[in-house]
């Protein structure tokens, strides 16, 4: 129960998953940050230089098969290895859209510019670059895009230059974006966080963010004003590889329930190694799934479910 559903067979650093059905097929595609868990180099070089990995399921999430990495995402003129993080992939207006966190090169520290860059595709395989979004700072990552009841598309993202807070922007067409402002404050006024994800389930809109101790949960009736519910995914799962808290997650709604896909560091003792995973073993990651339902207006999180459950059915 709660065993990993997927591990990257090359780098063993699958993180930040997002899952989407390929239109007209029975395929579900998982895009993820392909961290280089075994890479050497100084400082934080191992967490940079990551491509976007892809795994595919043809049995509603009961099993996943590695498909390779996404090519053609580098900015013009950026030769060599570059950094691709936390893809958001949606189907809208007749095309697939990817909003990718992009960093030039393989920096060894965090003090570098980063952007959210828009791509489009007709088949999930070949991507055309639209360009970076102008947002609240030059240090924005972790996009989530969702249609809202006011008729606009809304983008939620992490602004690392603003205390690792969640901000939002709106668009009528997924191309032109207007920054709204802070949605959830970060440090020093509130817990810093990342990886916002918005979905609709049980008659409510839900926003989850990774507070590095589990997923903080917020509820809304309009996708604009949010009330905090608490933390899910902070209590260990029953499987030995699912004893750490649930990190940067994606949610797919299927009928009356939803599937949450999250990652963990199975071999990193997060309680005693606060500065980050110290070696290649601790940097390894695993993707897991959980089931979400709404009970009396509260988001219920079921972590201990079989790894081979076809949760997307």
């Amino acid at each position: 129960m709660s065993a990993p559903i997927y591990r990257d067979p090359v780098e063993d650093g699958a993180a930040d998953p997002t899952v989407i059905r390929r239109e007209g097929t029975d395929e579900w595609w998982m895009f993820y940050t392909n961290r280089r868990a075994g890479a050497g180099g100084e400082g934080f070089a191992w967490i940079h230089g990551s491509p976007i990995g892809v795994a595919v399921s043809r049995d509603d999430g009961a099993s996943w098969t590695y498909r390779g990495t996404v090519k053609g995402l580098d900015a013009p003129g950026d030769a060599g290895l570059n950094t691709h993080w936390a893809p958001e992939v949606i189907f809208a207006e007749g095309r697939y859209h990817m909003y990718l966190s992009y960093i030039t090169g393989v920096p060894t520290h965090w003090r570098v510019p980063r952007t959210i860059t828009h791509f489009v595709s007709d088949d999930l395989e070949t991507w055309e670059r639209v360009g970076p979004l102008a947002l609240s700072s030059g240090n924005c990552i972790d996009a989530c895009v969702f249609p809202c009841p006011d008729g606009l598309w809304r983008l939620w993202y992490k602004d690392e230059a603003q205390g690792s807070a969640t901000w939002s922007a709106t668009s009528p067409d997924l191309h032109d974006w207007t920054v709204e402002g802070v949605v959830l404050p970060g440090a020093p006024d509130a817990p810093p966080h990342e990886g916002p994800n918005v979905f609709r389930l049980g008659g409510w809109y839900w926003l989850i963010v990774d507070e590095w101790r589990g997923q903080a949960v917020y509820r809304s009736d309009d996708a604009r004003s949010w009330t905090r519910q608490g933390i899910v995914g902070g209590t260990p799962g029953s499987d030995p590889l699912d004893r750490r808290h649930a990190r940067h997650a994606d949610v797919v709604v299927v009928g009356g329930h939803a599937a949450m896909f999250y990652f963990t560091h199975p071999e990193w003792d997060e309680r005693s190694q606060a500065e980050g995973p110290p070696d290649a073993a601790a940097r390894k990651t695993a993707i897991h799934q959980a089931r979400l339902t709404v009970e009396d207006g509260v988001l219920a999180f079921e972590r201990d479910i079989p790894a081979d459950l076809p949760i997307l059915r």
Side-chain angles (χ1 to χ4, degrees), residues 37-227:
E42 299 179 2
F44 294 100
W46 69 274
I47 207 169
H48 295 97
S50 48
I52 297 302
V54 181
V56 175
S57 175
R58 294 180 176 86
D59 52 15
D60 295 320
S63 64
W64 294 89
T65 302
Y66 178 67
R67 198 181 186 280
T69 59
V70 181
K71 311 301 182 185
L73 300 180
D74 290 332
D78 282 355
L81 200 60
N82 295 289
T83 301
H84 307 153
W85 282 351
E88 165 74 324
V89 182
I90 65 170
F91 183 78
E93 312 295 339
R95 305 191 82 182
Y96 299 99
H97 297 256
M98 178 189 293
Y99 296 89
L100 176 73
S101 302
Y102 183 83
I103 301 170
T104 299
V106 187
T108 60
H109 53 81
W110 304 117
R111 300 180 303 277
V112 293
R114 56 210 64 189
T115 61
I116 294 175
T117 301
H118 184 192
F119 299 82
V120 293
S121 173
D122 293 320
D123 58 9
L124 288 180
E125 297 184 67
T126 302
W127 293 89
E128 174 189 346
R129 189 175 190 270
V130 178
L133 278 56
L135 297 172
S136 48
S137 81
N139 292 86
C140 296
I141 63 172
D142 294 356
C144 169
V145 177
F146 200 78
C148 295
D150 59 6
L152 295 172
W153 292 94
R154 193 161 268 104
L155 165 75
W156 294 266
Y157 61 92
K158 174 188 179 183
D159 190 330
E160 295 194 313
Q162 313 273 356
S164 291
T166 293
W167 282 59
S168 68
T170 60
S171 174
D173 57 8
L174 294 169
H175 289 268
D176 297 317
W177 294 91
T178 301
V179 173
E180 284 189 303
V182 178
V183 177
L184 303 177
D189 301 316
H193 51 271
E194 64 186 11
N197 192 264
V198 172
F199 57 98
R200 184 166 173 79
L201 182 66
W204 297 93
Y205 293 93
W206 301 93
L207 166 62
I208 59 172
V209 294
D210 182 1
E211 289 188 354
W212 309 299
R213 53 177 175 163
Q215 299 291 314
V217 177
Y218 295 82
R219 192 183 75 176
S220 175
D221 60 4
D222 61 3
R224 300 189 68 183
S225 299
W226 299 93
T227 300

Side-chain angles (χ1 to χ4, degrees), residues 201-264:
L201 182 66
W204 297 93
Y205 293 93
W206 301 93
L207 166 62
I208 59 172
V209 294
D210 182 1
E211 289 188 354
W212 309 299
R213 53 177 175 163
Q215 299 291 314
V217 177
Y218 295 82
R219 192 183 75 176
S220 175
D221 60 4
D222 61 3
R224 300 189 68 183
S225 299
W226 299 93
T227 300
R228 188 179 176 98
Q229 174 182 294
I231 296 278
V232 301
T235 302
S238 61
D239 189 88
L241 295 177
D242 194 27
R243 306 298 292 171
R244 310 305 182 194
H245 55 249
R247 290 176 171 267
H248 195 131
D250 184 43
V251 176
V252 179
V253 175
V254 186
H257 77 280
M260 178 190 284
F261 299 94
Y262 62 93
F263 82 96
T264 65

Side-chain angles (χ1 to χ4, degrees), residues 17-35:
T18 188
V19 174
I20 185 172
R21 181 189 287 277
R22 191 178 193 185
E23 294 292 307
T25 76
D26 62 356
E27 297 177 351
W28 291 90
W29 287 41
M30 177 192 297
F31 294 81
Y32 58 90
T33 306
N34 200 5
R35 292 180 177 179

